[in-house]
């Protein structure tokens, strides 16, 4: 079976001088994920997203955008398209790698989404690495605080040699958000979805639009009748624009190893590999 991995570093309108460094970060994540693809789609998307959580030029974990009170609150998710198991966390402040905490929620199996202090406490109980909140706050984001719409969530979708699909995503959300705001990234069907019967999708952009349209579920569901991945990606982004004037982008992978991406913002860093 053909294998495929696609990663994105967020859709938005960053200054043009930042395009190259964002793209370089995404290429690094693709390489990190590809190294693990033989272990399966889930291992590959986890490795790619973990890599981007360490990249200060991207909006996830280290380098995440600041909320209105100048603090970082992080969202992340993971889904296994074979079993439809999923785990997600919202507005967490202590997990060094929020995507690891999402994975721990999924492996625990009792719940799909944990938020806030309860999720942070679960990180300690589950043995997920934690850190001081200050680790996430960079000078760059202090400068950007409340200056412009920032949205550079990171995400990855993959299919492995057994035809198993997976998706993972992580974000600081949107610049200047209200404390307690949770976006689409940890909302199953909105910011992410995977089902081996059709494929996997991961979104980025103004999350409220993705939540109101359940965009990732919509994109995956539209791949079912045999539509090409690129057609499904473009249809999803058109729906986002037309129905709710939403801004953002999406990456998709099919069980047959097809990869697609579409966005309606000035820029989206993304990269893919198939083999
Ligand atoms: N979708 C994310 C959110 O609204 C932001 C992003 O994609 O950059 O939280």
């Amino acid at each position: 079976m053909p294998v495929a991995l696609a990663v994105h570093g967020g859709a938005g309108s960053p200054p043009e001088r930042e395009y190259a460094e964002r793209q370089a970060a995404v290429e690094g994540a693709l390489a990190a994920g590809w190294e693990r693809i033989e272990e399966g789609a889930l291992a590959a998307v986890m490795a790619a997203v973990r890599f981007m959580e360490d990249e200060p030029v991207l909006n996830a974990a280290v380098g995440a955008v600041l909320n209105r009170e100048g603090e970082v609150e992080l969202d992340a998710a993971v889904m296994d398209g074979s079993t439809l198991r999923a785990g997600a966390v919202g507005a967490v402040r202590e997990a060094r790698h929020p995507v690891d905490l999402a994975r721990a929620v999924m492996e625990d199996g009792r719940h799909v989404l944990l938020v806030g202090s309860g999720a942070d406490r679960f990180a300690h109980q589950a043995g997920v690495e934690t850190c001081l909140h200050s680790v996430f706050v960079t000078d760059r984001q202090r400068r950007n605080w409340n200056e412009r719409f920032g949205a550079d969530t990171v995400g990855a979708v993959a299919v492995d040699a057994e035809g198993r699909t997976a998706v993972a995503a992580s974000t600081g959300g949107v610049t200047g958000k209200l404390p307690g705001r949770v976006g689409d990234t940890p909302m199953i069907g909105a910011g992410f979805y995977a089902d081996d019967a059709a494929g996997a999708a991961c979104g980025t952009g103004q999350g409220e639009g993705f939540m109101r349209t359940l965009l990732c579920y919509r994109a995956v569901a539209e791949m079912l009748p045999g539509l090409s991945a690129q057609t499904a990606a473009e249809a999803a982004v058109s729906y986002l624009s037309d129905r709710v004037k939403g801004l953002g982008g999406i990456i998709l992978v099919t069980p047959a190893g097809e990869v697609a991406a579409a966005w309606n913002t000035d820029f989206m860093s993304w990269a893919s590999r198939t083999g």
Side-chain angles (χ1 to χ4, degrees):
M1 292 279 283
V3 300
L5 172 66
V7 303
H8 77 73
S13 302
E16 266 185 60
R17 62 175 186 280
E18 290 183 11
Y19 286 12
E21 60 182 0
R22 285 163 195 253
Q23 189 59 30
V26 159
E27 304 281 351
L30 183 70
W34 193 256
E35 265 177 31
R36 307 286 299 274
I37 193 82
E38 281 179 13
E39 289 167 52
L42 195 57
V45 295
M46 287 294 299
V49 168
R50 273 184 121 257
F51 182 96
M52 291 187 280
E53 287 184 332
D54 285 342
E55 281 289 342
V57 297
L58 301 175
N59 171 18
V62 177
V65 299
L66 306 182
N67 69 18
R68 190 173 278 190
E69 293 178 355
E71 297 195 326
V72 164
E73 290 184 319
L74 302 164
D75 302 338
V78 62
M79 185 163 185
D80 170 4
S82 303
T83 56
L84 302 188
R85 286 186 313 150
V89 291
V92 297
R93 300 159 60 98
E94 292 178 27
R96 174 65 188 80
H97 283 282
V99 76
D100 284 354
L101 185 53
R103 175 85 186 257
V105 172
M106 180 175 91
E107 300 297 347
D108 178 76
R110 278 175 289 178
H111 305 299
V112 169
L113 174 62
L114 291 182
V115 301
S117 59
D120 279 321
R121 279 205 298 282
F122 181 73
H124 292 277
Q125 287 156 18
V128 170
E129 184 187 352
T130 55
C131 66
L132 289 177
H133 184 254
S134 56
V135 167
F136 302 124
V137 182
T138 59
D139 287 342
R140 173 175 164 266
Q141 291 300 0
R142 279 204 195 91
R143 284 194 300 276
N144 285 347
W145 187 30
N146 282 348
E147 261 181 25
R148 63 187 172 81
F149 168 68
D152 323 297
T153 293
V154 308
V157 290
V159 59
D160 64 27
E162 269 80 57
R164 294 174 303 195
T165 60
V167 54
S170 184
T171 188
V174 293
T175 308
K177 65 185 183 179
L178 291 175
R181 180 264 190 188
V182 173
D184 61 313
T185 302
M187 295 293 175
I188 192 164
F192 70 102
Y193 202 73
D195 181 347
D196 288 2
C202 186
T204 167
Q206 279 171 322
E208 282 70 12
F210 285 73
M211 290 156 88
R212 290 162 60 205
T213 53
L214 278 183
L215 205 75
C216 285
Y217 178 75
R218 170 176 287 272
V220 169
E222 285 194 350
M223 289 196 284
L224 282 174
L227 210 68
S228 86
Q230 191 57 38
T231 307
E234 286 169 16
V237 172
S238 297
Y239 187 80
L240 180 72
S241 311
D242 299 345
R243 196 71 181 85
V244 296
K245 297 189 172 39
L247 285 174
I250 196 164
I251 55 172
L252 300 177
V253 73
T254 68
E258 215 188 324
V259 164
W263 61 96
N264 64 4
T265 50
D266 293 336
F267 178 71
M268 182 172 86
S269 54
W270 80 288
S272 69
R273 188 158 169 187
T274 55

